[in-house]
Amino acid sequence: MTIETTPKMSWWNRLAHPGQFMAWTRPLIWPLAILTLALFLAGLWFAFFASPADYQMGDTVRIMYVHVPTAWLGQFIYATMAVSALGTLVWRHPLADVSMKAAAPMGAAFTAMALFTGSMWGRPTWGTFWEWDGRMTSTLILLFIYLGIVALWRAFDDQLRAARVVAAFTLVGAINVPIIKFSVDWWSTLHQPASVFTPEGPKMPFSILLPLFLMFFAFTFLFATLQLVAMHTEIRRRRVMTLERRAARGDAR
Amino acid sequence: MSGFRSVLRRELRLALAGGSDMLTLVLFFVIVGAIVPFAVGPDRQLLARIAPGIVWIAAFLSMLLGLDRLFRPDREDGTLTLYRLAELPLAAAIAAKVIAHWLTAALPLILASPFLAMILAMDEPTFWRTLASLALGTPALAAFGTFGAAVTAATRRGGLLAPILIAPLSVPVLIFGVGAISPLGGPDQAAAAMLFLAALSLMALALSPFASALAIGWGEE
Amino acid sequence: MSGFRSVLRRELRLALAGGSDMLTLVLFFVIVGAIVPFAVGPDRQLLARIAPGIVWIAAFLSMLLGLDRLFRPDREDGTLTLYRLAELPLAAAIAAKVIAHWLTAALPLILASPFLAMILAMDEPTFWRTLASLALGTPALAAFGTFGAAVTAATRRGGLLAPILIAPLSVPVLIFGVGAISPLGGPDQAAAAMLFLAALSLMALALSPFASALAIGWGEE
Amino acid sequence: MTQRQVFPRLFLRTSDLACGRGGMVLARNLALAVAPGTGLLLRGPNGAGKSTLLLTLAGLLPPLAGTIEIEGHDPEAGKILHHCGHRNAVRARLGVAETLKFWAAINGATGMPAGAALERVGLGRLARLDAAYLSAGQQRRLALARLLVSRRPLWLLDEPSAALDAEGQALLGSLLEEHFAAGGLAVIATHDAIAADGLATLTLGGAA
Amino acid sequence: MTQRQVFPRLFLRTSDLACGRGGMVLARNLALAVAPGTGLLLRGPNGAGKSTLLLTLAGLLPPLAGTIEIEGHDPEAGKILHHCGHRNAVRARLGVAETLKFWAAINGATGMPAGAALERVGLGRLARLDAAYLSAGQQRRLALARLLVSRRPLWLLDEPSAALDAEGQALLGSLLEEHFAAGGLAVIATHDAIAADGLATLTLGGAA
Amino acid sequence: MIELGQHAAFIVLAYAGVFLGVAALVLWTVFDGRRTSARLEALSDPKSR
Ligand code: HEM
Ligand SMILES: Nc1ncnc2c1ncn2[C@@H]1O[C@H](COP(=O)(O)OP(=O)(O)OP(=O)(O)O)[C@@H](O)[C@H]1O
Ligand SMILES: Nc1ncnc2c1ncn2[C@@H]1O[C@H](COP(=O)(O)OP(=O)(O)OP(=O)(O)O)[C@@H](O)[C@H]1O
Ligand SMILES: [Mg+2]
Ligand SMILES: [Mg+2]
C-alpha cells in the first residue's frame, strides 16, 4: 500500500507505519538533543553556582537535582512501557513493541542512577549507604522488574513473538507495582514509624526549585531524545535480522 | 470436566512418580531453615524472633525451584501443542497445573514446617499462625509462579528466568505473609495482613490461568 | 587437548549465547539476598549477623538451579551418546563441564557479592571473608552438583537418588562456608573452616569428573 | 468399518495463503482445496516449508497472508482438527494406555475406547509399559492411536510414516481410508509413499 | 572419490550374541559377520530390537550374552565406530558449522573439513544458521555430515533416511558407497530402501 | 568552583555517577544506532554480498 492509494492518513496511521514514523520523527532528533543540552547547562549552572546551600541539609541538597529527576524517570518510563504494552495488546500498534523494547534498558539505567544518587545522599544524611526505607526499597524492586524485563526480551529469538509476551508481563507488573509500593510502605512503617522523607516540596525556596525543575525537564527531554533514537535503531535492527536470516538461508526467495 | 481432572491427575502422577522433585523441595526447605542457626548462632530468642521470616523465605525459595518443570517438559515433547488444540480450554489445563503445583510444591512444605518450627525454637501460637499464613499465602505464590513459567515457556532457556521475573512481583506476598505472623504491628495489623494475603491469593488464582494461557498462546512456536 | 577446549568453549558459548543467562543468574542471586529483609525485618544489626548465611544460601540456590541444564539437554538431544563414543575421554569432557559450570554459575555471583554485602549491611572484614569463603567453597558445590546431575541424568526414574546424594555432600560446604565467615567460634575456628573448605573443593574437583563419568556410563543407553 | 459419512461435510479451502517462519516467507499464493473424504499429500525437498504449512493450517502459526476457511464447520461443535507433529508428546513415567487415556480426556473421548485403539495400532500387548520405553515406531503408533480416540474430521499429519515398519505403513493407509470413508479430511506431509486412495499431491518448491 | 582401502581391513563378527533392554531379551543367537567394504541392513517390525542391537554393537548397552569382535582393530588407534541414533544431537543457539566443528573436535578431525562436509550433504548455504532452525530433514543431513568429518571405519546408522527427501536418500546411498569403497563397514537399521551396493539384509523377528 | 562543604566527596561522586550513567547511555544509543545502520546498509547493498 503506497501513500497515494491510501485515501486519508491520520497522524495515527502515519505513525503506525515504521518507515513513515522514521521519516516523520527524524527531523525532531537534533532539536530535541539541543534543547536537552541547553536545559542541562542551565540546570547545572543554577545547581552549582546560582543556588544556595539548604539550611538543613547543607550542600548535599545539590544531590537532589540529579536524584529526583532520575527517580521520577524511573517511574515515568515504566508508565511509558505499560502504555506501549497496551498499544501492543489492545491496538496492535506496530510501533508499540518497538517503544516498549527501547524503553526497558533506559528505565533500568535511570532507576539505577536514582538508587546510586540516593545512597550518595544517604551516606552524609544517615551515615549509611543503604537503608531499608519504603521508598528506596520499592525503587530497588522496580529495578529488579526492569532488569527482569530486559532479560526476558533477550531470552526470545523472535522479537515479534516476544513482544506480546513481554507486553503481558509488563502489564501484570504495572498492576503489581502499586501493590508492591503499598506493601513495602506498610512494611517499613511497621518497623520504623518515622519516614525519612519529609514532604518538603512546597516549602522549598524558589532558588532550589528552579534548578530542580530545569534538571527535571533536562532529564525528561534526554529520555525523549534517546527513546526516539533507540526506536529508530530497533526498527532498523528488525530489518537487519530479517535480511540476515534470509542471507543465512542462501537467499532462497 | 473430566479433562481438568485428567490434567490434574497426570501432573500429580508425574510429580509423584519422579519422587525426587518433591523430596528436593522439602529437603531444600529444611536445609534453608537449618542453616540459619549456623549463621546467627544459637541465640534462641533471636531465632524465635526471626523464625517466621525464615520459614517464609524457605517456602518462597523452594517454590521458585520447581517452576521450570511446570511447562518446559510439556513444551519440549510436544504436549503443549496438544493442549492448545485440545477440547479442554488451555486456561482450564493451566488451572489444573496451578493446583497441582500447589499440591506438590507448597503442601509438602506446609507439612514439613513443624520440623522447621522446632529447629527454630518457635513457640506454639506463632507456629499455628505461621501455618495459617503459609496456607493462605502459598496459593498466590503458586499462581504468580505459574504465570512466570508461562511467560518464559516459549524461550529456549528458562531455568532462572521465571524466578527472577516472579520474585519481585511476589514481594507483597512475603511481606504480608510474615506480617500476618509477627506480633510487631499488633493483632489487628496481623489480621489485616492475613486478610490481604487471602485477597491476594484469590485474585492471583482467579487471574493467573487466563493470563498464563494468553502468554503461552502468544509465545509459542 | 583441543577436544577439552572445544567442550569448554561450547559450554561457555551456550551459557552466553542466550545472553540473558548470566544476567539472570546474577539477578537471581541478588534478588534472593534482597528479599530476606522483607521476611526478617530491616534491622541492620540482625541483617549483618545473618548476612553470611544469606549470601551462602543465595549462592547455593543459584548453583542448584543451574544444575539441571548441565546434562539433561545433552542427554535428551543425544549429545551425551556422542560424548560416550568420542575420542575425548568422558571424564575430560565432564571436567570441562565442571569448569564451565563454575565460570558461569559461581564466578558471576562472587563478582556481584559486594552489592549484596552493601544492602545487607555487612561490615568490611566480614565482606572480605565472605568473598574468600565463596571463592574456596563454590568449586566444591560445582563439583558435587555435577556429580548429582550426572547421577540424575543417568537414572531415568530413580531420580530420588540425586538429591539424597548431593544434600549430605553439599550441606557441609554450606556449613563450613558460613562457619568460615561468621566469627562464632573465634578466628582459629574460622581459619580451620576455610582450610577444610579448600580441601573439600580440591578433593571434589579431582574426583567428580571420574565419578560422574562412571555414573553416566552405568546409566543405560 | 463404520457407516459412511459420520462427519459433517467439510471443505478445507485456503486462498492466497502465505506461510513462513520468523518473518520469512516459505510458501505463498497457496490455494488448497480439500474435499470431504479426500486427502492432500504435501511433498517437497527438506526445508521447503511442509511442516510450517501444517502448523499454519492448525492455527498454531499465524498465516503471513491470505485466509484459511473450513466450510461447513459449526464452531459450537468443538475443535475439528488433529495435528500430529514430529514430536510424539510421549512422556516417560506414564504408561502407554494411561497416555492415550489422557489424550482422550483432554480432547474428548468421542472416538474408539483407548484399549481398542491400542489394539488397532498394534500396541495392545504393551498397554501397561512405560511409554518412554517404546521404540521409535511404537511411539509413532501411539501418536496415531490418539487420532482414533477422539473423532475429529481434519487430520494434519507431519511425516506420519517415519519409523513405521511395512505393517505400520499398511496400518496408516487403512486408517486413512477409514477416515476418508467416514467423510474425513487429511493433509499429510511426507517423503514416503502412502497407500491410500483419494490422495492428491501438492509439491512445495525448492529451497534445499 | 578417494583411493580405495583407506581403512585397515576390519571384520565385525558377533557370535551367539543376545541383546535386549531392561532384562528382556529381544534377539538371541545372532551371528553377524560384516566384511570390509560391505554393509548389513537390519530390518524387522517396530520393536523388534534393531535400535537395541545397534546400541549393543556400539558398546552403549551391555550384550546379554555372546561376544562382539572387531578383527583387525588396533585398540591404540582410537575409536572405530560412529553411532547415529534417532536423535540428531543438534542444539539451539549453535550455528550449523559450529556444531559440526564441535563434533570434529571431540571425535578428532580426521576426515573432511567441516565446510566441505556441509557442502557434501547440501547444507553449504546454511552454515551460519542456528542449527535448531533446520527442518527435520536438514538436521538429519547435519548428523550425516558428522560421519564425514571424523574418519571411522564402522558406521552404525539408525534409520538414517528418516525425514530425508528423495535427493537426500540418493545422497545417503552415495555416501555409503564411498564409505564402502574406502573399505568401511556399516550396519543400518531402516524401514526404507537404501540405494547402495554391497548390502546384505538381516531381518529381526517378531514382537510387534 | 564553589565550596561544596564537608560532604563534597559525595556530591561529586553522585554527579560523576550520573554523568557516567548518562554518558554510557548516550554513547551506547549512538553507537548501537550507527552499528545497526551500517549493518543494514551492508546487507541491503546487493554488491557487497
Ligand atoms: C537509594 C536511595 C534512594 C532512593 C531509591 C530514593 C528514591 C526516591 C524516589 C522514588 C523519589 C520520588 C521522586 C518522585 O516522586 O518524583 C525520591 C524523592 C526524593 N528523595 Fe529520594 N531516594 C533515595 C535516597 C534519598 C536520600 C538519602 C535522601 C535525602 C536525605 C533523599 C531525598 C529525597 C527528596 C528530598 C526527594 C523529593 C521529595 C519530594 O519531592 O517529595 N532520597 N527519592
Ligand atoms: N523458528 C524458526 N525460525 C526461523 N526459521 C525457521 C524456524 N524453524 C524453521 N525454520 C526454517 O524454515 C524452513 C522450513 O522448515 P520446515 O520444517 O517447514 O521444512 P519441511 O518442509 O518440513 O522440511 P523437512 O522435510 O526436512 O521436514 C527451514 O529452512 C528452516 O530453516
Ligand atoms: N529402557 C527400556 N527398558 C525396557 N524395555 C525397553 C527399553 N527401551 C526399549 N524397550 C523395549 O525394547 C523393544 C525394542 O526397542 P527398539 O528401539 O530396539 O526397537 P526397534 O527395532 O528399533 O523398533 P523401531 O523400528 O520402532 O525403531 C521395544 O519393544 C521396547 O518396548
Ligand atoms: Mg518437516
Ligand atoms: Mg528403532
Side-chain angles (χ1 to χ4, degrees), chain C residues 2-3 6-7 10 13-14 17-19 73-79 81-88 220-221, chain E residues 21-22 55 58 60-61 78-79 81 83 87-94 98 102-103 105-108 146 152:
Chain C
S2 95
S6 291
V7 176
R10 173 189 154 103
R13 265 278 283 153
L14 282 173
D74 275 349
R75 174 168 195 277
E76 275 166 11
D77 73 3
T79 308
T81 311
L82 280 187
Y83 277 131
R84 293 176 61 194
L85 294 173
E87 206 59 59
L88 182 75
E220 73 173 311
E221 193 207 17
Chain E
R21 303 294 291 249
L55 288 172
L60 296 170
L61 281 178
K79 309 268 172 156
L81 62 86
H83 179 266
R87 291 163 305 173
N88 295 321
V90 158
R91 180 72 55 87
R93 310 253 149 142
L94 295 181
E98 194 178 0
F102 169 71
W103 290 334
I106 65 167
N107 286 333
R146 169 161 59 85
R152 292 183 178 180

Side-chain angles (χ1 to χ4, degrees), chain E residues 4 26 40 67 74 81 90 126 130-131 139 142 145 158 183 185 206:
Chain E
R4 281 192 66 88
L26 288 166
L40 180 67
T67 53
D74 169 20
L81 62 86
V90 158
L126 303 180
D130 185 331
Q139 290 195 8
L142 179 54
D158 201 349
L185 287 66

Side-chain angles (χ1 to χ4, degrees), chain B residues 129-161:
Chain B
R129 263 179 295 138
T130 306
L131 223 55
S133 94
L134 278 181
L136 283 181
T138 43
L141 287 186
F144 277 128
T146 305
F147 178 66
V151 165
T152 53
T155 64
R156 293 241 191 89
R157 51 185 50 240
L160 295 170
L161 198 52

Side-chain angles (χ1 to χ4, degrees), chain D residues 42-135:
Chain D
L42 295 180
R43 296 194 172 278
N46 292 139
K50 302 180 293 297
S51 302
T52 308
L53 177 56
L54 285 182
L55 288 173
T56 311
L57 291 177
L60 296 170
L61 281 178
L64 298 184
T67 55
I68 303 165
E69 252 181 297
I70 294 168
E71 281 169 28
H73 165 51
D74 169 20
E76 299 286 282
K79 308 270 175 159
I80 47 156
L81 61 85
H82 275 301
H83 178 268
C84 180
H86 288 298
R87 292 166 304 176
N88 294 322
V90 159
R91 181 72 59 86
R93 301 203 179 127
L94 294 181
V96 170
E98 193 178 1
T99 304
L100 193 57
K101 278 181 194 143
F102 169 70
W103 290 334
I106 65 166
N107 286 333
T110 49
M112 289 187 189
L118 282 181
E119 285 301 339
R120 185 76 180 82
V121 299
L123 294 178
R125 289 152 70 202
L126 303 177
R128 298 186 53 198
L129 196 72
D130 186 329
Y133 285 172
L134 294 180
S135 77

Side-chain angles (χ1 to χ4, degrees), chain D residues 135-136, chain E residues 50-51 86 158-159:
Chain D
S135 77
Chain E
K50 300 179 294 298
S51 302
H86 288 297
D158 201 349
E159 309 199 18

Side-chain angles (χ1 to χ4, degrees), chain E residues 8-33:
Chain E
R9 284 185 65 80
L10 296 183
F11 282 85
L12 170 70
R13 253 190 256 282
T14 70
S15 64
D16 230 14
L17 184 69
C19 67
R21 303 294 291 249
M24 187 173 52
V25 181
L26 288 166
R28 62 175 84 238
N29 296 332
L30 290 175
L32 317 182

Side-chain angles (χ1 to χ4, degrees), chain F residues 6-40:
Chain F
Q6 62 193 58
H7 299 306
F10 295 104
I11 301 174
V12 170
L13 261 178
Y15 275 83
V18 170
F19 176 78
L20 278 183
V22 168
L25 215 51
V26 169
L27 288 181
W28 170 252
T29 309
V30 170
F31 164 73
D32 196 28
R34 293 250 166 99
R35 190 181 57 171
T36 313
S37 299
R39 188 90 188 92
L40 187 59

